[in-house]
Amino acid sequence: MRTGFVSICSRRLLLSFTSSPPPVSSHLSHYCATANYKQHTAQKIDGKLIASDIKATLSAQILNMKKSVNKVPGLGVVLVGKRKDSLSFVRIKKKACEQVGITSLVVELPEDSTEDEVLDTVSALNQNESVHGILVQLPLPDHMREEKIINAVSVKKDVDGFHPVNMGNLALMGREPLFIPCASRGCIEVLHRSSVEIAGKKAVVIGTSKITGLPTSLLLQRYDATVSVVHAFTKNPEQTTREADILVSDVGVPNLVRGHWLKPGVVVIDMGSTLVKDCSSSHGCRVTGDVCYEEAVVKASLVTPVPGGVGPVTISMLLSNTAEAAKRAYKWTE
Amino acid sequence: MRTGFVSICSRRLLLSFTSSPPPVSSHLSHYCATANYKQHTAQKIDGKLIASDIKATLSAQILNMKKSVNKVPGLGVVLVGKRKDSLSFVRIKKKACEQVGITSLVVELPEDSTEDEVLDTVSALNQNESVHGILVQLPLPDHMREEKIINAVSVKKDVDGFHPVNMGNLALMGREPLFIPCASRGCIEVLHRSSVEIAGKKAVVIGTSKITGLPTSLLLQRYDATVSVVHAFTKNPEQTTREADILVSDVGVPNLVRGHWLKPGVVVIDMGSTLVKDCSSSHGCRVTGDVCYEEAVVKASLVTPVPGGVGPVTISMLLSNTAEAAKRAYKWTE
């Protein structure tokens, strides 16, 4: 799919735009700051601030839980192998747990573990009463069947929301999944806290991954947006994206979404995250999204940066899902 | 939702259209006949003929199965109450089973049955080795929780494909649901047998029901269409539908989709089915779809009529799902 998108990206069309009113409330939320560009129109959404507020609320809630039932939520993490990016993600999640008072139990297994060893680990975490949420850090090594391992996670502890029962209940209107995938919840949280109206708006989601694209399209539909999904087989994707009041991209192709892909006033939620070389950085690299930020900022009404946009909110949604799981397990409400 | 659509329907816009090539193969399938209208362009898809061909194939397959393992597929049907439409649907399904050699076991329960009585019936059918597929005729009486009863059907016998595990696996790319809802399979079957290319085409689905709209949008996405979903909250739905190369409607509002909602050359799949009064009919009523057929036929390249379009193909997909379930149960392949 990525190859397809790169080839799509290389085509540029110079077409005129039809203007339409921005779908955001005229009252801008305190999470939105003016982007520092000469020719700006967009407000930058501060994902770190949103995440910080969510974590503060969760911390207080977990403190109350401890006082009330002498229990705290627990997150079990299964990490197979030593992929640098996975190690980094797990470290970030563990630290975030500590910040709000969630205990975390990271089980590290060697790269050459068997599928049965991973399944046994998942089974033990399913049985562990102090673990309320379980996540299996993806991707797994090639010799393992991801489907089998994800399906083994108890539906009641599936804080990533990738189990087909949770995904099916997300798709089915009128049903309530126990968990919604964190990135998708993060996207909606960002929209809500930025006072963006969703119902009746045209939303375009670029990408169909189970982690982000698919659940985000299903969730936006639950909030009554008219959703279109663009992918590698979409001809002239910019024609579809230019219709969007809300544009969500999660493909992992830097600068895929250019200025001419956007309708003036669009809300841009950039969920891409790719490590690219950057000689000017002390690390020699930096994280970048799918959207050409400099072009988006002069076209959009609101835009999430990468890093510092949806990413931190996604992590806080994992904490929120884990806290919800614990509340259900202890039948505790504030 | 229906009220919303009716109000949408009352708005009419007179806008110009941009022409584009029809997305169908120039070689028309033998299922498509010229519609008998003075000003026609559309070919009418003969759903009865498609269904008849599918049933002939299934009959031969089931005969082979009987010769080979001395077993035939069995369908269990749970019917609660005496709704006229439900009685009629169950009668049609039972007759279709007989036509291809599938045994059917219809369990009729009174309207005032308890939820537990229905659950016990489902449980007995789950255990019954000669029943390979189970369907609970919907809608259920208001005092029953549909979700609980549908969830009780064994995933391996869920020939309606409404169980969240099957729906989740339909949504998740790379996974294979055991069953795909019959109407959605019927829609794809009609497109395939009419030589309509799906990949890369813009498909618009009107309606989000779990029976048709939702699974059809997910399935079209699996076939690499760029899918948009229109519903009661969509503003100016005709703007979106006019982009469609393939338009699927399943709302139950007669004449919702008018000629000016269509792009010239579009393929129209009408999955609506509503009983309306008709003094000219000997029954005093007739079944009608969502699409204004007379207007569609002069705009579309292909169109399914109602009745005689997707309906018969949907029934044949139920037979096919039941046969597949039996083949899996007996580990039998031709």
Side-chain angles (χ1 to χ4, degrees):
Chain A
M1 177 172 277
R2 294 194 177 197
T3 314
F5 266 110
V6 171
S7 71
I8 288 166
C9 190
S10 65
R11 280 180 278 146
R12 298 200 194 172
L13 292 174
L14 289 167
L15 292 173
S16 60
F17 297 94
T18 48
S19 181
S20 77
V24 293
S25 148
S26 58
H27 172 71
L28 276 167
S29 134
H30 77 284
Y31 297 112
C32 308
T34 303
N36 192 18
Y37 283 86
K38 281 178 190 170
Q39 211 191 341
H40 80 87
T41 57
Q43 303 283 318
K44 185 165 78 169
I45 296 171
D46 189 341
K48 283 185 187 170
L49 188 58
I50 294 175
S52 166
D53 282 0
I54 294 167
K55 286 197 275 193
T57 305
L58 282 172
S59 290
Q61 199 176 67
I62 290 164
L63 207 61
N64 278 346
M65 181 185 238
K66 186 157 189 194
K67 281 181 193 164
S68 169
V69 291
N70 199 28
K71 303 279 185 188
V72 295
L75 176 69
V77 180
V78 183
L79 174 63
V80 187
K82 299 263 180 211
R83 277 179 66 116
K84 268 192 180 174
D85 54 352
S86 292
L87 282 165
S88 165
F89 286 137
V90 169
R91 201 164 40 237
I92 290 168
K93 290 168 187 174
K94 196 170 150 60
K95 189 179 158 198
C97 282
E98 285 163 13
Q99 286 172 338
V100 299
I102 293 175
T103 59
S104 57
L105 171 60
V106 180
V107 183
E108 294 190 44
L109 296 170
E111 174 83 18
D112 61 355
S113 303
T114 65
E115 202 174 78
D116 280 344
E117 284 166 337
V118 180
L119 288 169
D120 287 346
T121 304
V122 169
S123 175
L125 291 171
N126 281 340
Q127 301 301 320
N128 188 331
E129 287 185 6
S130 65
V131 169
H132 309 96
I134 299 170
L135 75 84
V136 179
Q137 186 63 45
L138 300 178
L140 288 162
D142 287 342
H143 66 281
M144 286 179 194
R145 284 169 294 177
E146 182 187 304
E147 177 174 346
K148 195 169 180 188
I149 292 165
I150 296 295
N151 283 9
V153 173
S154 160
V155 174
K156 290 181 181 174
K157 297 190 177 188
D158 171 41
V159 283
D160 262 343
F162 298 158
H163 194 289
V165 167
N166 280 318
M167 200 64 84
N169 281 329
L170 174 62
L172 289 159
M173 297 286 181
R175 294 205 177 194
E176 291 304 324
L178 287 176
F179 302 100
I180 294 168
C182 305
S184 304
R185 271 195 73 193
C187 171
I188 296 295
E189 197 69 32
V190 159
L191 292 172
H192 281 168
R193 291 189 186 237
S194 306
S195 309
V196 177
E197 197 187 331
I198 303 174
K201 298 299 172 191
K202 282 196 180 183
V204 174
V205 177
I206 311 177
T208 58
S209 78
K210 74 164 177 300
I211 297 173
T212 308
L214 167 68
T216 304
S217 64
L218 297 172
L219 194 54
L220 283 165
Q221 208 160 288
R222 278 194 167 233
Y223 283 96
D224 298 323
T226 299
V227 180
S228 303
V229 179
V230 164
H231 46 72
F233 290 90
T234 301
K235 290 171 190 159
N236 306 317
E238 63 277 13
Q239 278 180 12
T240 304
T241 59
R242 273 200 297 268
E243 298 287 323
D245 301 310
I246 299 166
L247 181 67
V248 179
S249 187
D250 173 58
V251 188
V253 177
N255 291 327
L256 170 71
V257 179
R258 307 295 302 262
H260 67 280
W261 284 43
L262 306 176
K263 181 167 85 168
V266 62
V267 175
V268 177
I269 308 292
D270 189 351
M271 301 176 89
S273 174
T274 310
L275 213 59
V276 293
K277 282 185 183 171
D278 183 355
C279 303
S280 67
S281 158
S282 58
H283 304 289
C285 60
R286 64 182 166 85
V287 173
T288 187
D290 290 350
V291 178
C292 180
Y293 190 76
E294 294 75 8
E295 292 179 10
V297 89
V298 295
K299 209 69 173 279
S301 59
L302 284 170
V303 62
T304 56
V306 176
V310 187
V313 187
T314 296
I315 301 288
S316 68
M317 291 297 106
L318 172 66
L319 307 177
S320 170
N321 276 353
T322 307
E324 285 302 314
K327 285 162 73 177
R328 275 196 289 265
Y330 298 126
K331 295 184 176 61
W332 180 78
T333 46
E334 249 181 320
Chain B
M1 175 172 276
R2 293 191 176 201
T3 314
F5 265 111
V6 171
S7 70
I8 287 164
C9 188
S10 65
R11 279 180 278 147
R12 297 200 193 174
L13 293 174
L14 289 169
L15 293 174
S16 60
F17 296 92
T18 47
S19 182
S20 76
V24 293
S25 150
S26 58
H27 172 71
L28 276 166
S29 137
H30 76 286
Y31 298 112
C32 308
T34 303
N36 191 19
Y37 282 87
K38 281 179 189 170
Q39 210 192 343
H40 80 87
T41 56
Q43 302 284 319
K44 185 165 78 168
I45 296 172
D46 189 339
K48 283 186 187 170
L49 188 57
I50 295 175
S52 167
D53 282 2
I54 294 167
K55 286 197 274 192
T57 306
L58 282 172
S59 290
Q61 199 176 68
I62 290 164
L63 208 61
N64 278 346
M65 180 184 240
K66 184 154 192 195
K67 281 181 193 165
S68 170
V69 291
N70 199 28
K71 302 279 185 188
V72 294
L75 176 68
V77 179
V78 183
L79 174 63
V80 188
K82 298 260 180 214
R83 276 179 67 116
K84 268 192 179 176
D85 54 353
S86 293
L87 281 165
S88 166
F89 286 136
V90 169
R91 201 164 40 236
I92 291 167
K93 290 167 188 174
K94 196 169 152 59
K95 189 178 158 198
C97 282
E98 284 163 13
Q99 287 172 338
V100 299
I102 293 175
T103 59
S104 57
L105 172 59
V106 180
V107 183
E108 295 189 44
L109 296 170
E111 175 84 18
D112 60 355
S113 303
T114 65
E115 202 175 76
D116 279 344
E117 284 166 337
V118 180
L119 288 169
D120 287 347
T121 304
V122 170
S123 175
L125 291 172
N126 281 340
Q127 302 300 321
N128 188 332
E129 287 184 7
S130 65
V131 169
H132 309 96
I134 299 169
L135 75 83
V136 179
Q137 186 62 45
L138 300 178
L140 287 163
D142 288 343
H143 66 282
M144 287 179 193
R145 284 169 294 177
E146 182 187 303
E147 177 174 347
K148 195 168 182 189
I149 291 165
I150 296 294
N151 283 9
V153 174
S154 160
V155 174
K156 290 181 180 174
K157 298 190 177 187
D158 171 41
V159 283
D160 261 343
F162 298 158
H163 194 289
V165 166
N166 280 318
M167 201 64 84
N169 281 329
L170 174 62
L172 289 159
M173 296 287 181
R175 296 206 176 190
E176 289 306 325
L178 287 176
F179 303 100
I180 294 169
C182 306
S184 304
R185 273 195 73 193
C187 171
I188 296 294
E189 197 69 32
V190 159
L191 293 173
H192 281 166
R193 292 189 184 236
S194 306
S195 308
V196 177
E197 197 187 329
I198 303 174
K201 299 298 172 192
K202 283 196 180 182
V204 174
V205 177
I206 311 177
T208 58
S209 78
K210 74 163 177 302
I211 297 172
T212 307
L214 167 69
T216 304
S217 65
L218 297 172
L219 194 53
L220 284 164
Q221 208 160 287
R222 280 196 164 232
Y223 283 95
D224 298 323
T226 300
V227 180
S228 303
V229 179
V230 163
H231 47 72
F233 289 90
T234 302
K235 290 171 190 159
N236 306 319
E238 63 278 13
Q239 278 180 11
T240 304
T241 59
R242 273 200 296 268
E243 298 288 321
D245 300 311
I246 299 166
L247 181 68
V248 179
S249 186
D250 174 58
V251 188
V253 177
N255 291 326
L256 171 71
V257 179
R258 307 295 302 261
H260 68 281
W261 285 42
L262 306 176
K263 181 167 85 166
V266 62
V267 175
V268 177
I269 308 292
D270 189 351
M271 301 175 89
S273 174
T274 310
L275 213 58
V276 293
K277 282 186 183 172
D278 183 356
C279 303
S280 66
S281 158
S282 58
H283 304 291
C285 59
R286 65 184 165 86
V287 172
T288 187
D290 290 349
V291 178
C292 180
Y293 189 78
E294 294 75 8
E295 291 179 10
V297 89
V298 295
K299 210 67 172 281
S301 59
L302 283 171
V303 61
T304 58
V306 176
V310 187
V313 188
T314 297
I315 301 289
S316 69
M317 291 297 106
L318 172 66
L319 307 177
S320 170
N321 276 353
T322 307
E324 286 301 314
K327 285 162 73 178
R328 275 196 289 266
Y330 298 126
K331 295 184 176 60
W332 180 80
T333 46
E334 249 181 320

